[in-house]
Amino acid sequence: MVYFSGGGVQIFSMGMVAMLLASPFKAFAGMNEAFAQFAPKDSTNTRAFTTLLLQKVAYILCNLLTLLVGMWKCNQMGLLPVGTGDWLQFEHRGEVCNPFFSILP
């Protein structure tokens, strides 16, 4: 679905990228509730993080991959400041030392 959003900065592409970046955080917030129905019947707390730990780690890794795809898409659209020209306002230039003026009295 990300492939169909295009590479330009349009309203549809921005909405797609916003959903792509927001969905992993929503998934992290509701992870224990999503896995509660799969917890073993004999477990004391079905919403604990340690219940189904391996499956939850795989779920977190897949959501991190989704977040990385969103960051890649932002980079492809030119929304991430990765070039030197993006940071010119923070660059401070020093004074130029001219050796000709230093030998004059």
Side-chain angles (χ1 to χ4, degrees):
M1 191 79 173
V2 175
Y3 178 77
F4 295 116
S5 68
V9 182
Q10 292 95 14
I11 190 70
F12 181 71
S13 300
M14 295 299 292
M16 188 70 147
V17 168
M19 291 301 295
L20 189 63
L21 293 175
S23 63
F25 295 109
K26 290 179 185 177
F28 290 147
M31 181 176 56
N32 288 330
E33 288 80 19
F35 281 93
Q37 61 183 345
F38 302 113
K41 302 288 186 222
D42 59 347
S43 63
T44 57
N45 188 1
T46 58
R47 298 188 191 281
F49 183 73
T50 56
T51 306
L52 300 172
L53 184 63
L54 187 60
Q55 289 83 358
K56 288 182 181 180
V57 168
Y59 185 74
I60 288 171
L61 290 176
C62 289
N63 280 304
L64 285 176
L65 181 65
T66 303
L67 192 62
L68 288 175
V69 167
M71 296 295 285
W72 173 80
K73 185 66 176 176
C74 286
N75 187 27
Q76 293 298 315
M77 292 172 66
L79 298 175
L80 293 180
V82 294
T84 56
D86 297 328
W87 301 100
L88 286 179
Q89 64 182 352
F90 301 111
E91 183 178 315
H92 298 288
R93 296 184 179 197
E95 293 184 23
V96 178
C97 180
N98 193 346
F100 178 72
F101 292 113
S102 63
I103 57 174
L104 290 177

